[in-house]
Amino acid sequence: MGKRVLLFPLPFQGHINPMLEVAALLHSRGFSITIFHTSYNSIDSTKYPLYRFILVEDGGISGRFRSVVGDAMQRITAWNNNCEQLFYDCLTSVLSEKNEEPIACLIRDTHWYNLQYLANKLGVPTLVLRTGSTATLNWYMTFPQLIQKGFIPVQESQLNMPIIELAPLRMRDLPCLPDCSHEVLRDLFTHAIDAIRASSGVIVNTFDAIDSTEVENFQKEIPIPVFCIGPLHKFTPPARSSLLDPDRSCLDWLDMQSAGSVLYVSFGSLACMNFEELIETAWGLANSDQPFIWVVRPGSVLGKDKVDLPDGFIEATSGRGKIVSWAPQQEVLAHAAIGAFWTHNGWNSTIEAICEGVPMICRPQFADQMGNARYVMHAWKVGIELEGKLERGNIEMAIKRLMREDEGAEIRQRMRAMKHEASLSIKSDGSSSINIDKLISFISSFKIL
Ligand code: UDP
């Protein structure tokens, strides 16, 4: 009889994708898969006929994602509180099933922190999936200390101050969220870290060549196993976990463009802009004279359900601009016509760009994006920053710097080397493949329930 692994992603796109990639990986190694999901951003189970899905009704917090809505943190706290009893009931019911395969472990998202204690109470070994980098966990640990030392809230004059223990971060690169106080963030990070301490180990969507120092630093504080098994999407078939339907026509459009000529513009599943920024972005792209694909997600302009592009923009970019409401991003980035990625530096987007050797224009907005961008620009030097007010002149200049000037050529060269590192990690003797084998042995060593 085989073994079952239970998985519970946090219901945001950037958390669902990597969790389903872990599911696919474990399924390919003979484990049966049971996925818990919430009615908010519920997963389309028909796309995964080989898995079992269990809906954890989340106390009325249903809906579909549209934007970061300023209250993402409150949502996470509410989910943790509202789902506690509901998840407990689901878990006890699954554990009591007599005719099903035995359970090896639970893999939960970092931010499902309350569930850790329930799983411990029921004796279910639990691993944490960190969908961001390992470095983010070190930021979480240090954040409360920086508050205690009086560095947070950050003074204007200290924004560029380096944080020695979190190099290469400066104060301005620390995680933050719109409309979210540093106390709320501190509590969230503290909950996340405390629950990790109570877990059996951490799985991270990263690879040793870019994150091993951060893993060492993490393990000095929390000596539990860490499995860097990314880039996860390179171990699994193309993702089917998009919450929006990807517009695949952009792949045909890319086939008609010359190699390395197209700028891909996407800010992930949650980041938003105001209407003025939308207009500046449109004219910046138009004035750059560079072919582009621009993902304009429904709801991505604050206060507008329907996004209206400025008059004359479609005509001005006809033949070299492609607008989609959602792209098959991993395939787009892997296309030979793509030459650069203007990104918000969500971790998934960042690692997907690295895998395909696509240099980045970084425009981070919130959460871990500023820190990720700092690594991209200053540790790995594979991107440039789009600084200051979002304004058409700055945008045009950044695109030209990266895609046409010598500086861009050097960045592309470094990016090719990084892509090579990523490709080595997934070879059969590469670090991530070895770590996957270790993870499988680790999971198999748990006493089955
Ligand atoms: N994504 C996609 N199509 C799009 C935009 C994003 O498939 O048009 C995917 C992208 O490949 C990534 C995820 O959505 O896997 C976004 O995660 P990320 O961590 O980059 O950003 P977040 O949405 O969490 O801010």
Side-chain angles (χ1 to χ4, degrees), residues 60-285:
I61 316 173
S62 59
R64 215 78 187 143
F65 82 97
R66 289 185 75 76
S67 68
V68 71
V69 288
D71 66 348
M73 291 301 109
Q74 282 87 333
R75 259 173 212 270
I76 293 174
T77 312
W79 283 331
N80 270 282
N81 296 333
N82 293 4
C83 292
E84 221 172 338
Q85 186 59 42
L86 301 159
F87 178 71
Y88 187 81
D89 295 343
C90 289
L91 192 55
T92 37
S93 139
V94 167
L95 287 169
S96 65
E97 290 167 347
K98 294 279 175 278
N99 298 326
E100 294 286 341
E101 289 167 308
I103 291 162
C105 71
L106 167 71
I107 302 180
R108 65 159 181 95
D109 190 275
T110 312
H111 291 296
W112 275 130
Y113 47 83
N114 273 2
L115 310 188
Q116 181 64 50
Y117 307 105
L118 299 181
N120 287 2
K121 203 155 123 188
L122 294 170
V124 182
T126 300
L127 288 159
V128 177
L129 175 66
R130 177 63 199 141
T131 57
S133 67
T134 319
T136 56
L137 298 176
N138 297 331
W139 310 342
Y140 286 10
M141 278 193 275
T142 307
F143 197 86
Q145 296 160 18
L146 292 171
I147 294 181
Q148 242 171 17
K149 290 180 191 163
F151 290 116
I152 297 175
V154 184
Q155 304 296 313
E156 191 70 26
S157 60
Q158 294 191 325
L159 280 171
N160 287 324
M161 192 175 89
I163 309 170
I164 308 298
E165 60 274 42
L166 298 181
L169 257 56
R170 304 157 300 177
M171 295 303 290
R172 64 161 71 238
D173 305 314
L174 283 170
C176 70
L177 271 173
D179 305 326
C180 182
S181 72
H182 61 277
E183 288 93 351
V184 171
L185 274 184
R186 176 201 54 205
D187 292 348
L188 183 88
F189 297 163
T190 306
H191 287 316
I193 291 297
D194 286 349
I196 285 176
R197 283 183 208 279
S199 77
S200 299
V202 187
I203 302 169
V204 195
N205 184 17
T206 186
F207 54 102
D208 284 355
I210 60 170
D211 234 3
S212 60
T213 310
E214 280 69 18
V215 172
E216 272 172 38
N217 291 341
F218 171 80
Q219 286 179 319
K220 276 181 207 153
E221 295 297 321
I222 307 183
I224 57 174
V226 176
F227 302 93
C228 298
I229 62 165
L232 276 165
H233 68 287
K234 287 290 174 187
F235 286 103
T236 58
R240 286 163 289 165
S241 47
S242 262
L243 297 170
L244 290 169
D245 280 335
D247 181 343
R248 300 187 63 80
S249 69
C250 58
L251 296 170
D252 299 329
W253 183 84
L254 277 174
D255 287 343
M256 296 184 298
Q257 310 302 318
S258 48
S261 67
V262 179
L263 173 71
Y264 173 59
V265 184
S266 167
F267 309 114
S269 63
L270 298 169
C272 283
M273 48 175 65
N274 61 35
F275 189 57
E276 194 192 333
E277 289 171 325
L278 177 89
I279 292 175
E280 292 304 310
T281 300
W283 290 117
L285 290 172

Side-chain angles (χ1 to χ4, degrees), residues 12-15 17-18 21 131 242 246 264 266-271 295 324-330 333 343-350 352 366 369:
F12 288 125
Q13 184 75 75
H15 294 248
N17 290 358
E21 285 157 1
T131 57
S242 262
Y264 173 59
S266 167
F267 309 114
S269 63
L270 298 169
V295 179
V324 294
S325 51
W326 192 251
Q329 179 165 305
Q330 295 169 357
L333 287 170
T343 172
H344 68 312
N345 287 116
W347 182 248
N348 293 288
S349 293
T350 303
E352 286 162 10
F366 55 82
Q369 297 160 14

Side-chain angles (χ1 to χ4, degrees), residues 366-381:
F366 55 82
D368 59 342
Q369 297 160 14
M370 289 76 65
N372 296 339
R374 180 75 178 161
Y375 272 78
V376 168
M377 295 181 296
H378 292 268
W380 309 322
K381 299 186 170 59

